[in-house]
Amino acid sequence: MARLYVLLFLVQIVLAVCALISCLSAEEGQIRALPRIAWVLIILFFPLVGSIAWFIAGREPSSGAPKGWPGGPGPAERQRPRPLAPDDDPEFLRSMQDRAKQQDQELFRRWEEDLRRREDDLRRDGEPPREGDRPEV
């Protein structure tokens, strides 16, 4: 019989600790009926009854339900939010690829022009071009 009392005492302590953590970590909008300090005092002075009361009447019932489930947010809130970081935005990534592609094409165009110019110089003069004539990359 003593083992049963010890087990019930431990269950009561674990329940009280869970209720305290839940109460202290809940947002202000999720706490119902009483202020947070009152719930903490009730849980501390009456651990079994206070913990059960907190889980039944003290917090919002949908606090643990994932958003998008029945009873959750409406269709307007279910829309995918705009990405927060630029590298998560597909439009931004696409614009970066387009910009890189344009820069590469411009660089290749300048290289081809330089190569043609050097070949023409070689045909005309017969001497190799100087290093200082190269375009910057």
Side-chain angles (χ1 to χ4, degrees), residues 35-94:
R36 183 187 316 262
I37 190 70
W39 281 113
V40 169
L41 291 175
I42 290 171
I43 293 169
L44 287 176
F45 289 128
F46 309 103
L48 183 62
V49 176
S51 300
I52 293 171
W54 164 254
F55 286 119
I56 292 175
R59 66 179 184 164
E60 289 290 325
S62 64
S63 64
K67 292 184 179 181
W69 283 24
E77 295 176 22
R78 288 185 191 149
Q79 292 176 352
R80 185 172 175 230
R82 183 135 176 93
L84 299 177
D87 57 345
D88 291 338
D89 188 2
E91 293 177 27
F92 177 76
L93 294 175
R94 205 171 307 116

Short mmCIF file of all heavy atoms in Angstrom, two decimals, residues 35-94:
data_model
loop_
_atom_site.label_atom_id
_atom_site.label_comp_id
_atom_site.label_asym_id
_atom_site.label_seq_id
_atom_site.Cartn_x
_atom_site.Cartn_y
_atom_site.Cartn_z
N PRO A 35 -5.86 35.34 -13.86
CA PRO A 35 -4.53 35.77 -14.29
C PRO A 35 -3.49 34.66 -14.06
O PRO A 35 -3.71 33.73 -13.28
CB PRO A 35 -4.22 36.98 -13.41
CG PRO A 35 -5.37 37.18 -12.51
CD PRO A 35 -6.40 36.14 -12.78
N ARG A 36 -2.38 34.78 -14.70
CA ARG A 36 -1.33 33.77 -14.64
C ARG A 36 -0.86 33.52 -13.20
O ARG A 36 -0.69 32.38 -12.78
CB ARG A 36 -0.14 34.19 -15.49
CG ARG A 36 0.97 33.15 -15.52
CD ARG A 36 2.23 33.65 -16.23
NE ARG A 36 1.98 34.34 -17.46
CZ ARG A 36 2.07 33.79 -18.68
NH1 ARG A 36 2.41 32.54 -18.78
NH2 ARG A 36 1.83 34.49 -19.75
N ILE A 37 -0.66 34.59 -12.42
CA ILE A 37 -0.17 34.42 -11.05
C ILE A 37 -1.14 33.62 -10.20
O ILE A 37 -0.75 32.81 -9.36
CB ILE A 37 0.18 35.79 -10.41
CG1 ILE A 37 0.91 35.62 -9.08
CG2 ILE A 37 -1.06 36.62 -10.21
CD1 ILE A 37 2.30 35.09 -9.25
N ALA A 38 -2.44 33.82 -10.43
CA ALA A 38 -3.44 33.06 -9.68
C ALA A 38 -3.36 31.57 -10.03
O ALA A 38 -3.44 30.72 -9.14
CB ALA A 38 -4.85 33.59 -9.98
N TRP A 39 -3.18 31.27 -11.31
CA TRP A 39 -3.04 29.87 -11.72
C TRP A 39 -1.79 29.24 -11.12
O TRP A 39 -1.81 28.09 -10.67
CB TRP A 39 -3.02 29.73 -13.24
CG TRP A 39 -4.38 29.80 -13.84
CD1 TRP A 39 -4.87 30.77 -14.65
CD2 TRP A 39 -5.45 28.86 -13.67
NE1 TRP A 39 -6.17 30.51 -14.99
CE2 TRP A 39 -6.55 29.33 -14.40
CE3 TRP A 39 -5.59 27.67 -12.96
CZ2 TRP A 39 -7.76 28.66 -14.46
CZ3 TRP A 39 -6.80 27.00 -13.02
CH2 TRP A 39 -7.86 27.48 -13.76
N VAL A 40 -0.70 29.98 -11.09
CA VAL A 40 0.54 29.45 -10.50
C VAL A 40 0.33 29.14 -9.02
O VAL A 40 0.73 28.08 -8.52
CB VAL A 40 1.71 30.43 -10.72
CG1 VAL A 40 2.93 30.03 -9.91
CG2 VAL A 40 2.06 30.53 -12.20
N LEU A 41 -0.30 30.05 -8.31
CA LEU A 41 -0.54 29.83 -6.88
C LEU A 41 -1.48 28.64 -6.64
O LEU A 41 -1.26 27.84 -5.73
CB LEU A 41 -1.10 31.10 -6.23
CG LEU A 41 -0.12 32.27 -6.15
CD1 LEU A 41 -0.82 33.51 -5.61
CD2 LEU A 41 1.09 31.90 -5.32
N ILE A 42 -2.52 28.52 -7.45
CA ILE A 42 -3.44 27.38 -7.31
C ILE A 42 -2.71 26.07 -7.57
O ILE A 42 -2.89 25.10 -6.82
CB ILE A 42 -4.65 27.54 -8.27
CG1 ILE A 42 -5.55 28.68 -7.80
CG2 ILE A 42 -5.43 26.25 -8.39
CD1 ILE A 42 -6.63 29.06 -8.78
N ILE A 43 -1.86 26.05 -8.60
CA ILE A 43 -1.12 24.82 -8.90
C ILE A 43 -0.15 24.49 -7.78
O ILE A 43 0.04 23.32 -7.41
CB ILE A 43 -0.41 24.95 -10.26
CG1 ILE A 43 -1.42 25.03 -11.39
CG2 ILE A 43 0.55 23.78 -10.49
CD1 ILE A 43 -0.83 25.43 -12.73
N LEU A 44 0.48 25.50 -7.18
CA LEU A 44 1.45 25.25 -6.11
C LEU A 44 0.79 24.82 -4.81
O LEU A 44 1.28 23.92 -4.12
CB LEU A 44 2.30 26.50 -5.87
CG LEU A 44 3.34 26.83 -6.95
CD1 LEU A 44 4.03 28.14 -6.63
CD2 LEU A 44 4.34 25.71 -7.06
N PHE A 45 -0.33 25.45 -4.43
CA PHE A 45 -0.97 25.14 -3.14
C PHE A 45 -1.86 23.90 -3.21
O PHE A 45 -2.06 23.22 -2.20
CB PHE A 45 -1.77 26.34 -2.63
CG PHE A 45 -0.88 27.47 -2.17
CD1 PHE A 45 -1.07 28.75 -2.64
CD2 PHE A 45 0.14 27.24 -1.26
CE1 PHE A 45 -0.26 29.78 -2.22
CE2 PHE A 45 0.95 28.27 -0.84
CZ PHE A 45 0.76 29.54 -1.31
N PHE A 46 -2.45 23.63 -4.37
CA PHE A 46 -3.30 22.46 -4.55
C PHE A 46 -2.81 21.71 -5.79
O PHE A 46 -3.43 21.79 -6.86
CB PHE A 46 -4.77 22.87 -4.74
CG PHE A 46 -5.26 23.80 -3.67
CD1 PHE A 46 -5.40 25.17 -3.92
CD2 PHE A 46 -5.60 23.32 -2.42
CE1 PHE A 46 -5.86 26.02 -2.95
CE2 PHE A 46 -6.06 24.18 -1.44
CZ PHE A 46 -6.18 25.53 -1.70
N PRO A 47 -1.72 20.97 -5.66
CA PRO A 47 -1.07 20.40 -6.86
C PRO A 47 -1.97 19.52 -7.71
O PRO A 47 -2.01 19.68 -8.93
CB PRO A 47 0.10 19.59 -6.31
CG PRO A 47 0.30 20.07 -4.92
CD PRO A 47 -0.99 20.64 -4.45
N LEU A 48 -2.70 18.62 -7.13
CA LEU A 48 -3.52 17.70 -7.93
C LEU A 48 -4.71 18.42 -8.54
O LEU A 48 -4.92 18.42 -9.76
CB LEU A 48 -3.98 16.51 -7.08
CG LEU A 48 -4.76 15.44 -7.83
CD1 LEU A 48 -3.89 14.83 -8.91
CD2 LEU A 48 -5.27 14.39 -6.88
N VAL A 49 -5.50 19.08 -7.69
CA VAL A 49 -6.70 19.76 -8.17
C VAL A 49 -6.33 20.96 -9.04
O VAL A 49 -6.95 21.20 -10.09
CB VAL A 49 -7.57 20.21 -6.96
CG1 VAL A 49 -8.77 21.02 -7.43
CG2 VAL A 49 -8.00 19.01 -6.16
N GLY A 50 -5.30 21.71 -8.64
CA GLY A 50 -4.88 22.88 -9.42
C GLY A 50 -4.36 22.50 -10.79
O GLY A 50 -4.65 23.18 -11.78
N SER A 51 -3.61 21.41 -10.88
CA SER A 51 -3.08 20.98 -12.17
C SER A 51 -4.19 20.54 -13.10
O SER A 51 -4.22 20.91 -14.28
CB SER A 51 -2.11 19.82 -11.97
OG SER A 51 -1.04 20.22 -11.16
N ILE A 52 -5.12 19.76 -12.56
CA ILE A 52 -6.25 19.31 -13.39
C ILE A 52 -7.09 20.50 -13.81
O ILE A 52 -7.53 20.60 -14.96
CB ILE A 52 -7.08 18.26 -12.62
CG1 ILE A 52 -6.23 16.99 -12.43
CG2 ILE A 52 -8.38 17.94 -13.35
CD1 ILE A 52 -6.86 15.96 -11.51
N ALA A 53 -7.32 21.45 -12.89
CA ALA A 53 -8.10 22.65 -13.22
C ALA A 53 -7.41 23.47 -14.31
O ALA A 53 -8.06 24.00 -15.21
CB ALA A 53 -8.31 23.49 -11.97
N TRP A 54 -6.08 23.56 -14.22
CA TRP A 54 -5.35 24.31 -15.26
C TRP A 54 -5.54 23.68 -16.63
O TRP A 54 -5.84 24.36 -17.60
CB TRP A 54 -3.86 24.39 -14.93
CG TRP A 54 -3.03 24.79 -16.12
CD1 TRP A 54 -2.22 24.01 -16.85
CD2 TRP A 54 -3.00 26.08 -16.75
NE1 TRP A 54 -1.66 24.71 -17.89
CE2 TRP A 54 -2.12 26.00 -17.85
CE3 TRP A 54 -3.62 27.30 -16.49
CZ2 TRP A 54 -1.85 27.07 -18.68
CZ3 TRP A 54 -3.34 28.38 -17.32
CH2 TRP A 54 -2.47 28.26 -18.40
N PHE A 55 -5.39 22.36 -16.73
CA PHE A 55 -5.49 21.71 -18.02
C PHE A 55 -6.92 21.72 -18.55
O PHE A 55 -7.13 21.73 -19.77
CB PHE A 55 -4.95 20.28 -17.96
CG PHE A 55 -3.46 20.23 -17.89
CD1 PHE A 55 -2.83 19.65 -16.81
CD2 PHE A 55 -2.67 20.77 -18.90
CE1 PHE A 55 -1.44 19.59 -16.74
CE2 PHE A 55 -1.29 20.73 -18.84
CZ PHE A 55 -0.67 20.14 -17.75
N ILE A 56 -7.92 21.76 -17.66
CA ILE A 56 -9.31 21.76 -18.12
C ILE A 56 -9.83 23.17 -18.38
O ILE A 56 -10.43 23.44 -19.42
CB ILE A 56 -10.21 21.03 -17.09
CG1 ILE A 56 -9.86 19.55 -17.10
CG2 ILE A 56 -11.68 21.24 -17.41
CD1 ILE A 56 -10.58 18.74 -16.05
N ALA A 57 -9.60 24.09 -17.44
CA ALA A 57 -10.24 25.40 -17.53
C ALA A 57 -9.28 26.57 -17.71
O ALA A 57 -9.71 27.67 -18.04
CB ALA A 57 -11.08 25.65 -16.27
N GLY A 58 -8.00 26.36 -17.50
CA GLY A 58 -7.08 27.49 -17.49
C GLY A 58 -6.50 27.88 -18.82
O GLY A 58 -6.19 29.04 -19.05
N ARG A 59 -6.36 26.95 -19.71
CA ARG A 59 -5.75 27.28 -21.00
C ARG A 59 -6.75 27.06 -22.12
O ARG A 59 -7.73 26.35 -21.98
CB ARG A 59 -4.50 26.45 -21.23
CG ARG A 59 -4.78 24.99 -21.37
CD ARG A 59 -3.51 24.22 -21.63
NE ARG A 59 -3.86 22.83 -21.85
CZ ARG A 59 -3.08 21.96 -22.39
NH1 ARG A 59 -1.89 22.32 -22.76
NH2 ARG A 59 -3.47 20.71 -22.55
N GLU A 60 -6.44 27.67 -23.25
CA GLU A 60 -7.30 27.52 -24.42
C GLU A 60 -7.25 26.07 -24.89
O GLU A 60 -6.19 25.46 -24.94
CB GLU A 60 -6.81 28.43 -25.55
CG GLU A 60 -7.06 29.89 -25.30
CD GLU A 60 -8.52 30.27 -25.36
OE1 GLU A 60 -9.25 29.69 -26.17
OE2 GLU A 60 -8.92 31.12 -24.57
N PRO A 61 -8.38 25.49 -25.26
CA PRO A 61 -8.37 24.07 -25.67
C PRO A 61 -7.62 23.82 -26.96
O PRO A 61 -7.11 22.74 -27.17
CB PRO A 61 -9.85 23.74 -25.81
CG PRO A 61 -10.54 25.04 -25.95
CD PRO A 61 -9.70 26.06 -25.25
N SER A 62 -7.51 24.79 -27.84
CA SER A 62 -6.86 24.56 -29.13
C SER A 62 -5.39 24.96 -29.11
O SER A 62 -4.77 25.09 -30.15
CB SER A 62 -7.58 25.34 -30.23
OG SER A 62 -7.46 26.73 -29.97
N SER A 63 -4.80 25.16 -27.91
CA SER A 63 -3.41 25.61 -27.85
C SER A 63 -2.45 24.59 -28.42
O SER A 63 -1.41 24.93 -28.94
CB SER A 63 -3.02 25.94 -26.41
OG SER A 63 -3.07 24.77 -25.62
N GLY A 64 -2.76 23.30 -28.35
CA GLY A 64 -1.86 22.28 -28.88
C GLY A 64 -2.23 21.80 -30.26
O GLY A 64 -1.51 21.03 -30.86
N ALA A 65 -3.39 22.22 -30.79
CA ALA A 65 -3.83 21.74 -32.10
C ALA A 65 -3.05 22.43 -33.21
O ALA A 65 -2.88 23.64 -33.18
CB ALA A 65 -5.32 22.03 -32.28
N PRO A 66 -2.55 21.70 -34.17
CA PRO A 66 -1.83 22.30 -35.29
C PRO A 66 -2.76 23.17 -36.11
O PRO A 66 -3.94 22.89 -36.25
CB PRO A 66 -1.34 21.12 -36.11
CG PRO A 66 -1.46 19.93 -35.22
CD PRO A 66 -2.52 20.24 -34.22
N LYS A 67 -2.22 24.23 -36.67
CA LYS A 67 -3.03 25.13 -37.50
C LYS A 67 -3.39 24.42 -38.79
O LYS A 67 -2.60 23.68 -39.34
CB LYS A 67 -2.26 26.41 -37.79
CG LYS A 67 -2.06 27.23 -36.56
CD LYS A 67 -1.39 28.52 -36.86
CE LYS A 67 -1.26 29.31 -35.58
NZ LYS A 67 -0.65 30.58 -35.77
N GLY A 68 -4.58 24.69 -39.26
CA GLY A 68 -5.04 24.08 -40.49
C GLY A 68 -5.95 22.88 -40.26
O GLY A 68 -6.54 22.38 -41.18
N TRP A 69 -6.07 22.43 -39.04
CA TRP A 69 -6.98 21.34 -38.72
C TRP A 69 -8.38 21.92 -38.52
O TRP A 69 -8.55 23.10 -38.33
CB TRP A 69 -6.52 20.63 -37.47
CG TRP A 69 -5.36 19.72 -37.71
CD1 TRP A 69 -4.45 19.81 -38.72
CD2 TRP A 69 -5.00 18.59 -36.93
NE1 TRP A 69 -3.54 18.81 -38.61
CE2 TRP A 69 -3.84 18.05 -37.53
CE3 TRP A 69 -5.51 17.99 -35.81
CZ2 TRP A 69 -3.22 16.93 -37.03
CZ3 TRP A 69 -4.88 16.88 -35.32
CH2 TRP A 69 -3.75 16.35 -35.93
N PRO A 70 -9.41 21.06 -38.54
CA PRO A 70 -10.76 21.57 -38.30
C PRO A 70 -10.82 22.31 -36.97
O PRO A 70 -10.28 21.86 -35.97
CB PRO A 70 -11.62 20.30 -38.27
CG PRO A 70 -10.84 19.31 -39.07
CD PRO A 70 -9.40 19.64 -38.86
N GLY A 71 -11.49 23.43 -37.00
CA GLY A 71 -11.57 24.27 -35.82
C GLY A 71 -10.40 25.22 -35.73
O GLY A 71 -10.34 26.06 -34.85
N GLY A 72 -9.48 25.11 -36.65
CA GLY A 72 -8.31 25.99 -36.68
C GLY A 72 -8.60 27.24 -37.49
O GLY A 72 -9.75 27.67 -37.62
N PRO A 73 -7.59 27.84 -38.06
CA PRO A 73 -7.78 29.07 -38.82
C PRO A 73 -8.60 28.85 -40.09
O PRO A 73 -8.65 27.74 -40.62
CB PRO A 73 -6.36 29.50 -39.16
CG PRO A 73 -5.51 28.32 -38.94
CD PRO A 73 -6.23 27.42 -37.98
N GLY A 74 -9.22 29.91 -40.55
CA GLY A 74 -10.06 29.83 -41.73
C GLY A 74 -9.24 29.76 -43.00
O GLY A 74 -8.01 29.80 -42.98
N PRO A 75 -9.92 29.69 -44.16
CA PRO A 75 -9.22 29.55 -45.43
C PRO A 75 -8.30 30.72 -45.73
O PRO A 75 -7.26 30.55 -46.35
CB PRO A 75 -10.34 29.48 -46.46
CG PRO A 75 -11.57 29.15 -45.71
CD PRO A 75 -11.35 29.60 -44.30
N ALA A 76 -8.65 31.92 -45.31
CA ALA A 76 -7.80 33.08 -45.59
C ALA A 76 -6.47 32.97 -44.85
O ALA A 76 -5.44 33.39 -45.35
CB ALA A 76 -8.51 34.36 -45.18
N GLU A 77 -6.47 32.39 -43.66
CA GLU A 77 -5.25 32.25 -42.88
C GLU A 77 -4.43 31.04 -43.31
O GLU A 77 -3.26 30.93 -42.97
CB GLU A 77 -5.58 32.14 -41.41
CG GLU A 77 -6.22 33.38 -40.83
CD GLU A 77 -6.64 33.17 -39.39
OE1 GLU A 77 -6.09 32.30 -38.72
OE2 GLU A 77 -7.54 33.89 -38.96
N ARG A 78 -5.04 30.12 -44.04
CA ARG A 78 -4.34 28.90 -44.47
C ARG A 78 -3.46 29.13 -45.68
O ARG A 78 -2.70 28.27 -46.06
CB ARG A 78 -5.34 27.80 -44.78
CG ARG A 78 -5.99 27.24 -43.56
CD ARG A 78 -6.86 26.08 -43.91
NE ARG A 78 -7.67 25.74 -42.76
CZ ARG A 78 -8.87 25.22 -42.83
NH1 ARG A 78 -9.40 24.96 -43.98
NH2 ARG A 78 -9.54 24.95 -41.73
N GLN A 79 -3.61 30.29 -46.34
CA GLN A 79 -2.80 30.55 -47.51
C GLN A 79 -1.33 30.58 -47.11
O GLN A 79 -0.98 30.99 -46.02
CB GLN A 79 -3.17 31.89 -48.14
CG GLN A 79 -4.56 31.88 -48.74
CD GLN A 79 -4.92 33.25 -49.27
OE1 GLN A 79 -4.21 34.21 -49.06
NE2 GLN A 79 -6.04 33.34 -49.95
N ARG A 80 -0.50 30.13 -48.03
CA ARG A 80 0.93 30.08 -47.75
C ARG A 80 1.46 31.50 -47.58
O ARG A 80 1.28 32.34 -48.46
CB ARG A 80 1.64 29.38 -48.90
CG ARG A 80 3.09 29.18 -48.65
CD ARG A 80 3.69 28.31 -49.73
NE ARG A 80 5.11 28.26 -49.52
CZ ARG A 80 6.00 28.48 -50.46
NH1 ARG A 80 5.61 28.74 -51.68
NH2 ARG A 80 7.27 28.42 -50.19
N PRO A 81 2.13 31.78 -46.45
CA PRO A 81 2.64 33.13 -46.25
C PRO A 81 3.82 33.41 -47.18
O PRO A 81 4.47 32.50 -47.68
CB PRO A 81 3.10 33.11 -44.79
CG PRO A 81 3.39 31.69 -44.50
CD PRO A 81 2.42 30.89 -45.35
N ARG A 82 4.05 34.66 -47.41
CA ARG A 82 5.17 35.08 -48.24
C ARG A 82 6.47 34.67 -47.55
O ARG A 82 6.60 34.78 -46.35
CB ARG A 82 5.12 36.59 -48.41
CG ARG A 82 6.19 37.12 -49.32
CD ARG A 82 5.60 38.13 -50.27
NE ARG A 82 6.63 38.72 -51.09
CZ ARG A 82 6.96 38.25 -52.27
NH1 ARG A 82 6.35 37.21 -52.75
NH2 ARG A 82 7.90 38.83 -52.98
N PRO A 83 7.43 34.16 -48.30
CA PRO A 83 8.70 33.75 -47.69
C PRO A 83 9.36 34.91 -46.96
O PRO A 83 9.30 36.05 -47.39
CB PRO A 83 9.55 33.32 -48.89
CG PRO A 83 8.58 33.06 -49.98
CD PRO A 83 7.40 33.93 -49.73
N LEU A 84 9.98 34.60 -45.84
CA LEU A 84 10.62 35.62 -45.03
C LEU A 84 12.00 35.99 -45.54
O LEU A 84 12.38 37.15 -45.53
CB LEU A 84 10.72 35.14 -43.58
CG LEU A 84 9.39 34.84 -42.89
CD1 LEU A 84 9.63 34.31 -41.48
CD2 LEU A 84 8.52 36.08 -42.84
N ALA A 85 12.77 35.03 -45.98
CA ALA A 85 14.12 35.29 -46.43
C ALA A 85 14.15 35.35 -47.96
O ALA A 85 13.40 34.65 -48.62
CB ALA A 85 15.05 34.19 -45.93
N PRO A 86 15.03 36.17 -48.53
CA PRO A 86 15.09 36.26 -50.00
C PRO A 86 15.44 34.94 -50.65
O PRO A 86 14.97 34.65 -51.74
CB PRO A 86 16.18 37.30 -50.26
CG PRO A 86 16.39 38.00 -48.99
CD PRO A 86 15.92 37.12 -47.89
N ASP A 87 16.26 34.13 -50.01
CA ASP A 87 16.65 32.89 -50.64
C ASP A 87 15.56 31.83 -50.57
O ASP A 87 15.71 30.74 -51.11
CB ASP A 87 17.95 32.35 -50.07
CG ASP A 87 17.88 32.15 -48.57
OD1 ASP A 87 16.95 32.66 -47.95
OD2 ASP A 87 18.75 31.45 -48.03
N ASP A 88 14.43 32.13 -49.91
CA ASP A 88 13.27 31.24 -49.91
C ASP A 88 12.24 31.66 -50.96
O ASP A 88 11.27 30.96 -51.18
CB ASP A 88 12.59 31.24 -48.54
CG ASP A 88 13.44 30.58 -47.48
OD1 ASP A 88 14.32 29.78 -47.86
OD2 ASP A 88 13.22 30.86 -46.29
N ASP A 89 12.44 32.82 -51.56
CA ASP A 89 11.49 33.38 -52.51
C ASP A 89 11.84 32.91 -53.92
O ASP A 89 12.90 33.24 -54.45
CB ASP A 89 11.53 34.90 -52.42
CG ASP A 89 10.45 35.56 -53.24
OD1 ASP A 89 9.64 34.84 -53.85
OD2 ASP A 89 10.40 36.81 -53.25
N PRO A 90 10.95 32.13 -54.57
CA PRO A 90 11.27 31.63 -55.92
C PRO A 90 11.46 32.75 -56.94
O PRO A 90 12.29 32.64 -57.83
CB PRO A 90 10.07 30.77 -56.28
CG PRO A 90 9.26 30.61 -55.06
CD PRO A 90 9.69 31.62 -54.07
N GLU A 91 10.72 33.85 -56.81
CA GLU A 91 10.86 34.96 -57.75
C GLU A 91 12.25 35.59 -57.62
O GLU A 91 12.88 35.93 -58.62
CB GLU A 91 9.78 36.01 -57.50
CG GLU A 91 8.38 35.53 -57.84
CD GLU A 91 7.34 36.58 -57.50
OE1 GLU A 91 7.67 37.78 -57.50
OE2 GLU A 91 6.20 36.19 -57.25
N PHE A 92 12.69 35.76 -56.39
CA PHE A 92 14.02 36.34 -56.16
C PHE A 92 15.10 35.43 -56.74
O PHE A 92 16.03 35.90 -57.40
CB PHE A 92 14.25 36.55 -54.67
CG PHE A 92 15.62 37.08 -54.34
CD1 PHE A 92 15.95 38.40 -54.56
CD2 PHE A 92 16.57 36.22 -53.83
CE1 PHE A 92 17.20 38.87 -54.27
CE2 PHE A 92 17.84 36.68 -53.52
CZ PHE A 92 18.16 38.01 -53.74
N LEU A 93 14.99 34.14 -56.51
CA LEU A 93 15.98 33.20 -57.03
C LEU A 93 15.99 33.21 -58.56
O LEU A 93 17.05 33.16 -59.18
CB LEU A 93 15.69 31.79 -56.51
CG LEU A 93 15.86 31.60 -55.00
CD1 LEU A 93 15.43 30.20 -54.59
CD2 LEU A 93 17.30 31.85 -54.58
N ARG A 94 14.81 33.30 -59.16
CA ARG A 94 14.72 33.35 -60.61
C ARG A 94 15.38 34.62 -61.15
O ARG A 94 16.11 34.60 -62.14
CB ARG A 94 13.25 33.29 -61.05
CG ARG A 94 13.05 32.76 -62.43
CD ARG A 94 11.58 32.51 -62.76
NE ARG A 94 10.93 31.67 -61.78
CZ ARG A 94 9.92 32.05 -60.98
NH1 ARG A 94 9.43 33.26 -61.07
NH2 ARG A 94 9.38 31.22 -60.11
#
